Amino acid sequence: MININLIKKALGFKKDSVPKWYGVPHTGKAENHNIMTRNATENTSTAPTEMDSSVELYCKEMIKELLNGRTVRLGRYGTFRIAFRSVGVDNATDYNASSMIKDIRIVFRASKYFRTEVLNNIQFSVTGVTENDIKYASMSDYRRAKGISANPSDPNKPSEGEDGGGGLDENPLG
C-alpha cells in the first residue's frame, strides 16, 4: 500500500491557475537493510548475513562494471547504466570530457516483468490532506474540520469506517 497525501496547490508554471487537489507520495524513510535481508531470507536456508554479504559483493562488482561503461543487468528485474548530459563543441579537438560532461547519474531501467509486477499490484491510500499549509491526519479529519459529510444524502451521518478508521481505506483511484 502506497500512502499519499492530498495537497491543494496551483501548478508552479501557472501562477494564475486555480488551485486543484493533487496526490503526492508519502514514501517515508527507506527500510533498514538488516530488516530487508531478514525478511527476504525468512523461511529459506540462507542466513541474513549471507544475503547481506552477497548483496555487498554484487554491488561492489556493479560499481566496477558501471565505471567501465558497461550496463549491469540485475537478474530479471532490470538494468543499471550511467547516463549524463554533455556540452557540445564545433570542433572535436576542443572537447574536454572532464569539464563538458554534466549531470552524471545512475539510471535503473525496470524490466517488463518487474514493472508489470509492481504496477499490476499497486494500491494507494489517502493518509493525509494539506490545505493552506494546514495538515489533516486523514480524510475523515479533513471532512470533520470542513463540516463535509462523506455521505451526501445525510450531512450528519459519517461514512462507513469514518469514526475509527481514520480514512485510511479510501482509494482516490476507485
Side-chain angles (χ1 to χ4, degrees):
M1 183 76 61
I2 295 179
N3 294 329
I4 64 170
N5 288 320
L6 294 180
I7 297 178
K8 190 172 188 177
K9 62 181 179 177
L11 290 179
F13 59 89
K14 293 183 178 180
K15 296 295 182 192
D16 297 337
S17 66
V18 177
K20 293 184 179 182
W21 289 101
Y22 295 92
V24 295
H26 179 78
T27 56
K29 64 178 186 171
E31 184 62 84
N32 179 297
H33 178 72
N34 294 332
I35 293 171
M36 292 284 294
T37 55
R38 197 171 353 146
N39 289 344
T41 58
E42 190 174 32
N43 299 320
T44 71
S45 61
T46 304
T49 55
E50 292 174 315
M51 181 175 179
D52 188 41
S53 295
S54 297
V55 169
E56 186 68 28
L57 292 169
Y58 191 89
C59 287
K60 284 182 179 181
E61 190 60 28
M62 184 187 305
I63 290 168
K64 288 181 199 174
E65 293 296 306
L66 289 171
L67 290 174
N68 283 316
R70 294 187 188 93
T71 296
V72 177
R73 181 169 302 283
L74 184 61
R76 63 182 178 159
Y77 299 101
T79 57
F80 288 91
R81 65 180 175 82
I82 299 292
F84 54 83
R85 291 183 311 121
S86 174
V87 174
V89 294
D90 293 327
N91 187 339
T93 59
D94 294 336
Y95 195 84
N96 180 333
S98 63
S99 65
M100 296 181 164
I101 291 179
K102 310 286 184 191
D103 190 26
I104 302 168
R105 59 202 179 280
I106 301 169
V107 176
F108 174 73
R109 181 164 184 206
S111 68
K112 184 177 180 181
Y113 164 77
F114 189 62
R115 195 171 34 257
T116 300
E117 284 298 306
V118 173
L119 298 180
N120 285 350
N121 294 297
I122 200 164
Q123 294 179 1
F124 297 94
S125 176
V126 176
T127 57
V129 179
T130 302
E131 182 180 33
N132 300 325
D133 294 327
I134 299 171
K135 296 182 180 183
Y136 302 90
S138 67
M139 182 61 80
S140 297
D141 289 344
Y142 175 77
R143 285 186 182 122
R144 269 193 291 280
K146 297 294 182 175
I148 301 169
S149 172
N151 184 351
S153 63
D154 184 0
N156 297 317
K157 181 181 175 192
S159 66
E160 283 185 38
E162 192 167 344
D163 281 281
L168 298 179
D169 297 345
E170 294 170 317
N171 182 343
L173 303 177

